[in-house]
Amino acid sequence: MKLEDIILIDKENYMNTFGERTPVCFEYGKGVYLYSSDGKKYTDLFAGIAVNILGHGHPALTEAICSQAKKLIHCSNLYYNEPQALLAQKLNGLIGGGYKMFFANSGAEANEGAIKLARAYFNKKGMPYKNEIITMNHSFHGRTVTTITATAQPKYQKYFTPLTPGFKYSEPNDIEMLENTVNEHTCAVMLEIIQGESGVYPMTENFLDKVRELCREKDILLIIDEVQTGIGRTGSMFAYQNTKVKPDIFTLAKALGGGVPIGAVCASDEVAPAFSPGDHGTTFGGNPLACAAALAVLETVEKESIIDNVNETGKYFFETLEKIKKETGSIKEIRGRGLMIGIEFNEPCAVNVKNRLFEKGYLVGSVGNNILRILPPLIFNKENVEDFAKVLSEIINGGSV
């Protein structure tokens, strides 16, 4: 089908929640490349927003999906299923033990589950007044009514009032503000190790250490949203493992299924029992197909030394971008870790640069008018970095910035 026909059908039948989409339709992918309906090849540096960490068409993942689909795609959670049990076991081993898992369908669902669990934990300890959750300004935790409330960005909230009560906001990396926001009603602090949607802003180690200390002191749970940072993205299996901080609850999604929808609530053995039978549930979450896919992703990350590649290629990527920054004078800051990268320009040109890159066959994201967001598949290599850097330099030096 021609692209213009697809666009017409879409405009007539699909809700316009994504605005004017980039005019391309992809038919298939291989490795770090995507191929459009008109036969053009694109280098993917966005990975479905940090999802396709093994790239496209990885044989281990596609074989796991096909094999499981032939056997059983879905069954009720009223019964046991082997891939679900094995995935929970696998994650617990990667964490280092001491946790239990609940599987959902998305990051928003996982974060909803974490919020419910934190409130249930204190309710069942006889402290129902401890029900408020503090999140960070500029955060992003999902698009349900509760998770847009947790997302401290008014642009996501303005048309959906009344919002879910029980949330307060603090400034990232400002421990004094957080200390002043905490009170006797606080049950949890929820944060991302690196804020992705707002432009790739990391939390400092000092701030995270003090948050963990504050939570222990005040009997508050620490929830870390690893929806975007989890499964190798920042150079460790989970971003919190780059720090000294261990959460009471953390959430996963995006990369976990390599493209198959799945989310996870991971809670310590102390906190997990706050969910009793009937307190929480899901129809599709943790189905055999999604869990088989996630198992294949985790096993491949280990077998193919994906995290070693993230650290090696990520280091080279940052060094290469720093050279471009020095040579052009057009870049204000390069932020992130591993293969989670934000490039902030001195001028409001990010959308223009993104569009020029698209014309040259490169897919990246943008945040606002100043920031490019780069989240390539974790199989990206130094040669891919060099190719991209050459084109980016040409665009900057050609006057697009």
Side-chain angles (χ1 to χ4, degrees):
M1 188 179 293
K2 292 181 179 179
L3 176 61
E4 52 266 33
D5 295 328
I6 295 169
I7 292 172
L8 180 61
I9 292 170
D10 181 273
K11 287 186 175 181
E12 290 179 349
N13 299 280
Y14 194 84
M15 290 188 189
N16 183 20
T17 62
F18 299 104
E20 286 299 319
R21 294 198 244 193
T22 304
V24 65
C25 180
F26 295 113
E27 288 194 336
Y28 68 98
K30 187 173 179 61
V32 300
Y33 304 110
L34 284 166
Y35 297 84
S36 66
S37 54
D38 58 2
K40 187 173 179 180
K41 176 182 174 182
Y42 293 82
T43 303
D44 187 3
L45 285 93
F46 209 38
I49 315 183
V51 170
N52 305 105
I53 60 169
L54 301 182
H56 304 280
H58 193 288
L61 178 56
T62 54
E63 171 58 30
I65 293 169
C66 292
S67 176
Q68 185 60 51
K70 290 176 182 177
K71 293 189 289 186
L72 183 66
I73 293 174
H74 173 78
C75 67
S76 170
N77 279 309
L78 295 173
Y79 315 109
Y80 293 98
N81 85 66
E82 183 178 332
Q84 186 182 88
L86 292 177
L87 178 58
Q89 180 187 53
K90 184 69 175 177
L91 281 170
N92 204 18
L94 293 169
I95 295 165
Y99 280 69
K100 288 186 172 59
M101 319 304 149
F102 175 88
F103 297 120
N105 302 288
S106 67
E109 283 189 28
N111 285 334
E112 286 261 358
I115 290 163
K116 286 179 65 176
L117 183 60
R119 287 176 170 171
Y121 176 76
F122 286 105
N123 252 292
K124 293 185 179 184
K125 287 179 70 174
M127 293 182 278
Y129 56 89
K130 283 179 74 73
N131 54 41
E132 290 183 351
I133 294 172
I134 300 172
T135 63
M136 300 297 114
N137 287 329
H138 321 297
S139 60
F140 186 87
H141 299 293
R143 290 182 180 273
T144 65
V145 171
T146 295
T147 54
I148 62 167
T149 311
T151 294
Q153 297 192 59
K155 66 181 180 181
Y156 293 114
Q157 303 171 345
K158 60 182 179 179
Y159 298 121
F160 308 108
T161 54
L163 300 175
T164 305
F167 287 87
K168 291 188 173 180
Y169 310 122
S170 186
E171 193 66 20
N173 293 323
D174 187 337
I175 192 63
E176 184 177 350
M177 183 176 180
L178 180 60
E179 288 171 341
N180 291 333
T181 306
V182 165
N183 60 42
E184 68 275 15
H185 300 291
T186 308
C187 74
V189 172
M190 184 176 189
L191 55 79
E192 303 152 275
I193 299 289
I194 301 175
Q195 292 183 333
E197 295 294 327
S198 60
V200 191
Y201 290 98
M203 301 298 107
T204 66
E205 285 191 37
N206 182 58
F207 175 71
L208 291 168
D209 289 344
K210 290 185 176 180
V211 171
R212 177 73 276 186
E213 183 181 329
L214 176 65
C215 288
R216 286 198 187 101
E217 179 188 332
K218 300 292 186 179
D219 191 20
I220 295 168
L221 298 180
L222 176 59
I223 304 171
I224 294 181
D225 178 342
E226 293 254 18
V227 168
Q228 189 165 144
T229 57
I231 321 298
R233 174 60 58 186
T234 65
S236 59
M237 186 60 74
F238 314 112
Y240 79 79
Q241 292 173 330
N242 292 323
T243 75
K244 300 174 185 176
V245 170
K246 197 165 187 179
D248 300 295
I249 306 168
F250 70 98
T251 56
L252 299 168
K254 288 190 181 291
L256 180 58
V260 176
I262 186 170
V265 182
C266 311
S268 70
D269 284 345
E270 178 186 348
V271 176
F275 272 164
S276 302
D279 286 343
H280 198 50
T282 175
T283 296
F284 295 108
N287 66 73
L289 184 69
C291 289
L295 268 172
V297 169
L298 296 177
E299 289 167 358
T300 303
V301 166
E302 290 184 306
K303 287 177 183 176
E304 298 188 1
S305 302
I306 297 290
I307 291 176
D308 289 342
N309 182 66
V310 171
N311 285 307
E312 183 179 343
T313 303
K315 182 174 182 291
Y316 185 69
F317 212 149
F318 275 91
E319 290 171 351
T320 304
L321 291 172
E322 286 292 344
K323 288 179 184 177
I324 295 174
K325 176 186 175 186
K326 185 177 180 181
E327 290 168 0
T328 65
S330 299
I331 297 172
K332 177 181 178 182
E333 187 177 27
I334 301 161
R335 297 186 293 270
R337 189 182 180 104
L339 288 173
M340 183 176 185
I341 303 169
I343 303 172
E344 184 168 354
F345 294 99
N346 291 317
E347 302 295 331
C349 62
V351 174
N352 185 40
V353 173
K354 178 182 73 172
N355 291 339
R356 294 284 289 115
L357 284 165
F358 173 75
E359 291 169 7
K360 299 284 188 178
Y362 291 86
L363 306 175
V364 300
S366 61
V367 180
N369 295 317
N370 290 74
I371 302 167
L372 283 187
R373 189 156 58 123
I374 297 175
L375 303 161
L378 304 189
I379 59 172
F380 221 64
N381 59 36
K382 290 182 179 180
E383 184 180 347
N384 300 138
V385 171
E386 289 168 359
D387 291 342
F388 170 75
K390 181 181 177 182
V391 174
L392 179 63
S393 292
E394 290 172 355
I395 289 171
I396 293 174
N397 290 325
S400 293
V401 175

